[in-house]
Amino acid sequence: MAEFLSAEWLQALDRAAQGSRELAELGREAPLVVEQRVNDTPHGDVTYHIVIDEHGARVVAGKAPAPDIALTTDFTTACAMHRGDTNAQQGLNTGIFKIGGSVGQLLRRRDAFAALADVFASVRDSTTGTPEEPNHRR
C-alpha cells in the first residue's frame, strides 16, 4: 500500500496509466497534459503531472513544462478528489480549485478525466494516508 501523494503512490499511478489502453487511445485522438499541485500535505507541497499523448499515458513527479491545465488545491480537497467525493469540474464550480491553462480544454476533455478516474480506481483502493484514516499526520 502506498501513502497518498508519496513517491510510491505516484509510481503506482504511473503503472496504472501506462497499462491503460483507453488512455492510450484518447492520447492518439488529442494529447493532454494536466498538472496537479497540492499544497500543505504531510509531504510538503506536491506537484505532479499526467501526460496523455500518442505514446500512451504517464504520471510524472514535478511540474510540467507546458501543461494544458494546472489545478491547484489544498490537501483536504485533494483527498476528497482521490476518494471520488468531488472532481475537477465540481471543484471549479465551487471555487475550491485554482486553475491555470485552458478551462475550455478541461470541459472539452471530460472523457479523459473520466477515464483517469476509472484507471486510477485500483490505486485509490490501495492508498493510505488520507484525513479519514488514523495514520494521517496533519
Side-chain angles (χ1 to χ4, degrees), residues 7-62:
E8 294 79 16
W9 181 79
L10 291 174
Q11 291 167 355
L13 287 183
D14 185 45
R15 286 189 299 274
Q18 288 185 54
S20 171
R21 290 182 185 173
E22 182 179 8
L23 290 177
E25 183 61 34
L26 288 170
R28 281 190 284 280
E29 293 171 15
L32 178 67
V33 178
V34 179
E35 183 175 279
Q36 177 71 53
R37 303 171 192 151
V38 184
N39 298 323
D40 302 321
T41 82
H43 304 282
D45 292 347
V46 174
T47 301
Y48 62 96
H49 60 282
I50 302 161
V51 178
I52 304 171
D53 63 17
E54 70 275 5
H55 303 292
R58 296 290 316 256
V59 175
V60 182

